Amino acid sequence: MTNDQKLATIKTILEDGGDVPSDEKLTTYLDVAGSEILAWIYHLVGGVPTGVSDVPAKYDQTHIYAVIAGYTHAGAEGQSVHIENGVHRHFSYNDMLGYIHDNVLPIVRVGAIG
């Protein structure tokens, strides 16, 4: 799935909530989430290999929902509950990074590296 397809999907999902953020803002979220997904996948094996820049297809949906989690959580960073004017909002994840870390499996190696 291309980033343009992911962007269109995100905009469609967020449309139900009223105002849709700009393409520039959502593209920034996509870029940040994509970088974190790759960093998390490879963090136990020495970092992202040279030449790897695309999120693996199996994580396309995770990429999309990480952006949605990050965007909808803006302004309430680090909170698991937000109460304002009697309205209670409960968040499953503290932020976009928490969503990624809970839904992306890192690659691991057994034995000596060398």
Side-chain angles (χ1 to χ4, degrees), residues 29 65-82 89-103:
Y29 273 94
Y65 280 99
V67 170
I68 291 168
Y71 178 76
T72 58
H73 212 91
E77 291 90 350
Q79 297 179 17
S80 59
V81 177
H82 181 79
R89 293 185 179 110
H90 297 267
F91 302 106
S92 297
Y93 301 96
N94 289 338
D95 56 20
M96 184 167 64
L97 297 180
Y99 183 87
I100 291 169
H101 294 177
D102 283 352
N103 290 284

Side-chain angles (χ1 to χ4, degrees), residues 99-110:
Y99 183 87
I100 291 169
H101 294 177
D102 283 352
N103 290 284
V104 173
L105 295 174
I107 293 172
V108 296
R109 289 188 188 145
V110 177

Side-chain angles (χ1 to χ4, degrees), residues 48-54:
V48 180
T50 303
V52 174
S53 60
D54 294 331

Side-chain angles (χ1 to χ4, degrees), residues 29-39 53-55 63 67 100:
Y29 273 94
L30 272 170
D31 292 344
V32 171
S35 293
E36 182 59 25
I37 288 169
L38 291 176
S53 60
D54 294 331
V55 172
H63 194 187
V67 170
I100 291 169

